Amino acid sequence: MGNELFKILVVDDEKEYCAVIKMILENCGYSVVTCGSGKEALEILERANLDLVISDLKMNGMSGYELLEEIKRREYDVEVIMLTAFGTIETAVEAMKLGAYTYVTKGNDPEELLMEVAKVRSMRDVNRENMVLREKTSVEYMLESRNEKYNNMLTLVERAASSNSNILILGESGSGKEVLASFIHSKSQRRDKNLMELNCQAISESILESELFGHEKGSFTGAAQRRIGHFEAANGGTLFLDEIGGVSMGIQAKLLKAIENKVIYRMGSSTPVNVDFRLITATNRNLQKDMEEGTFRSDLFYRISTIVLELPPLRERREDIPLFIDFFLDKFGREMKKENITVPESVRTLLENYSYPGNIRELKNLIERLLVLSEHGEIKEEYLPPEIFRNKGENGSSGIYTDYTESLRAYRQKAEKKYIEELIARYPSDLNTVAEILSITRRQLLNKMNDYNLK
């Protein structure tokens, strides 16, 4: 983190001293604001995100010690360094017991203050990195599952992660493709290097090429300086290209060349750059269909799909929905400081029976919404969005999920399976009655049960 991103508030009722400290810190590249009282400092802290407060201990009105007490009481995420004269060192030590980072004696060499500021900045940087790491770990590696198909896929992932083979992840939007890519990287021999992620559908083709391969200064309008792309940034590590289906044929040709030769050319340059990366790609598209229609190169497909992982949508691993509900309740509860939230049985039933067309991402956003709206430690049914209720069938179970890309035959089969399943649940010991209602023979019913894996 650069010094310019480290924000400091200097509080001192001596304007001249305040100005000198501001000048010294700004000369070192820090972002600095000043004020002349503790009251004004609290107003600034209320509306601005700061990293450090440097405050004089003795000031007219609110003292620095009182300001520190108020900062700690309000739980502002900011460190405090106290400035003290020789006669108030004892009070400064007391301030450290209250939570000040340290104290610096006024009149000493400014280098002493700069060294302490640098220590605070370094500590904050490490804390931020650890927080991001904890966040990524808690979010991305919630891979516990009761679903046999998903666990079988994870077994394959564990074996594939240690290799350098290219991996293609197939799955609907929101089903956890990014999570799986991060997990694979963490289990690979490249885990100590960068994992570079890029969503190929989130940006235009012209920008995508620059993001992938980088560019030289002046290679196009607005290219004010050289910039390395994701291929170079992933050197030694892993490159994850999300939503690779649907990129233009021109970009596909350049991707194929980079993957085959492990050499790229920045835009505006003819100098080759050697790159060493492990490639993971993902898409929610049917690449086989795209190849048949001539919109996706078959040679690129075979290059990226040494190992293919198919992520089941959440509606096909319904036994995992309670796990995700509890996981996200715990995660967002800790973030919002709303722990021990009560979820009534009626709300939990609705959450567990919903089909989640947006998959895990939709469930995650829904739980976050419920915790934001919750009051007095309770989530109410009225906080749920209307689609939760529209999705409920007459027996309280999820309705048929509509995938508007599937064939009529596939939809009919899904509807048929659900109808037979419900009839068997209604007449569990009388298959003859089920067959009679369906107007088919018992043998035909048993065949369909076998086809649909119904018990």
Side-chain angles (χ1 to χ4, degrees), residues 12-54:
D12 199 311
D13 55 5
E14 295 181 28
K15 288 185 179 181
E16 294 80 7
Y17 186 80
C18 218
V20 169
I21 296 296
K22 176 181 170 70
M23 180 182 67
I24 291 171
L25 291 169
E26 286 183 338
N27 283 342
C28 293
Y30 294 106
S31 175
V32 184
V33 292
T34 64
C35 67
S37 71
K39 181 181 177 182
E40 190 179 351
L42 291 173
E43 290 173 356
I44 293 171
L45 285 166
E46 192 65 35
R47 63 177 186 266
N49 292 320
L50 299 167
D51 295 286
L52 172 65
V53 173
I54 300 174

Side-chain angles (χ1 to χ4, degrees), residues 137-162:
T137 302
S138 65
V139 174
E140 295 185 357
Y141 301 151
M142 213 305 280
L143 297 175
E144 181 184 353
S145 177
R146 299 167 179 163
N147 182 269
E148 183 179 0
K149 182 178 179 181
Y150 188 82
N151 283 324
N152 288 340
M153 185 208 63
L154 279 184
T155 301
L156 177 59
V157 167
E158 293 274 4
R159 292 203 300 267
S162 59

Side-chain angles (χ1 to χ4, degrees), residues 30 286 403 406 413:
Y30 294 106
N286 185 336
D403 178 357
E406 68 186 350
Q413 288 177 336

Side-chain angles (χ1 to χ4, degrees), residues 59-300:
M59 296 185 292
N60 294 324
M62 179 183 290
S63 69
Y65 190 88
E66 291 169 329
L67 171 60
L68 173 65
E69 283 185 314
E70 194 62 23
I71 287 172
K72 295 302 176 183
R73 188 185 70 80
R74 298 189 187 187
E75 298 183 340
Y76 290 129
D77 181 23
V78 64
E79 298 297 331
V80 180
I81 292 178
M82 306 304 303
L83 296 171
T84 178
F86 287 107
T88 55
I89 288 178
E90 187 176 333
T91 310
V93 172
E94 288 299 315
M96 288 180 65
K97 292 179 182 177
L98 185 63
Y101 178 79
T102 190
Y103 69 90
V104 174
T105 304
K106 273 187 169 184
N108 282 5
D109 189 334
E111 280 298 320
E112 181 184 350
L113 176 62
L114 291 175
M115 285 178 60
E116 297 299 339
V117 171
K119 288 178 187 177
V120 174
R121 189 201 64 189
S122 178
M123 178 189 72
R124 300 273 290 185
D125 286 351
V126 170
N127 288 343
R128 281 195 180 101
E129 288 171 4
N130 289 341
M131 186 174 66
V132 170
L133 208 56
R134 286 194 301 270
E135 176 70 9
K136 289 191 77 172
T137 302
S138 65
V139 174
E140 295 185 357
Y141 301 151
M142 213 305 280
L143 297 175
E144 181 184 353
S145 177
R146 299 167 179 163
N147 182 269
E148 183 179 0
K149 182 178 179 181
Y150 188 82
N151 283 324
N152 288 340
M153 185 208 63
L154 279 184
T155 301
L156 177 59
V157 167
E158 293 274 4
R159 292 203 300 267
S162 59
S163 73
N164 271 319
S165 298
N166 295 334
I167 293 177
L168 172 63
I169 305 173
L170 303 176
E172 295 178 6
S173 293
S175 58
K177 298 188 291 294
E178 305 92 334
V179 169
L180 203 56
S182 296
F183 179 69
I184 291 168
H185 175 72
S186 74
K187 293 291 183 180
S188 75
Q189 296 174 359
R190 298 170 178 264
R191 58 184 169 270
D192 295 329
K193 302 295 183 180
N194 286 342
L195 167 64
M196 298 302 300
E197 303 179 30
L198 182 63
N199 187 318
C200 298
Q201 294 297 310
I203 50 182
S204 67
E205 182 180 349
S206 58
I207 297 176
L208 176 59
E209 184 173 357
S210 173
E211 288 292 324
L212 286 168
F213 304 104
H215 62 253
E216 295 290 345
K217 180 179 179 180
S219 58
F220 56 85
T221 304
Q225 58 187 10
R226 171 189 284 182
R227 183 184 181 193
I228 68 168
H230 280 63
F231 275 106
E232 281 187 83
N235 191 41
T238 304
L239 176 61
F240 173 49
L241 300 181
D242 196 8
E243 302 304 347
I244 195 171
V247 300
S248 72
M249 297 298 280
I251 293 291
Q252 287 181 42
K254 292 178 180 179
L255 282 173
L256 178 62
K257 192 172 182 180
I259 294 166
E260 286 183 332
N261 301 328
K262 296 294 178 78
V263 172
I264 58 109
Y265 295 85
R266 299 191 196 104
M267 294 176 65
S269 172
S270 58
T271 303
V273 179
N274 294 318
V275 284
D276 170 34
F277 58 89
R278 198 269 181 86
L279 182 68
I280 303 175
T281 54
T283 184
N284 61 7
R285 294 174 64 97
N286 185 336
L287 293 186
Q288 292 289 348
K289 182 180 178 183
D290 288 350
M291 284 190 289
E292 291 170 7
E293 295 176 351
T295 58
F296 198 87
R297 296 176 62 120
S298 59
D299 48 4
L300 177 60

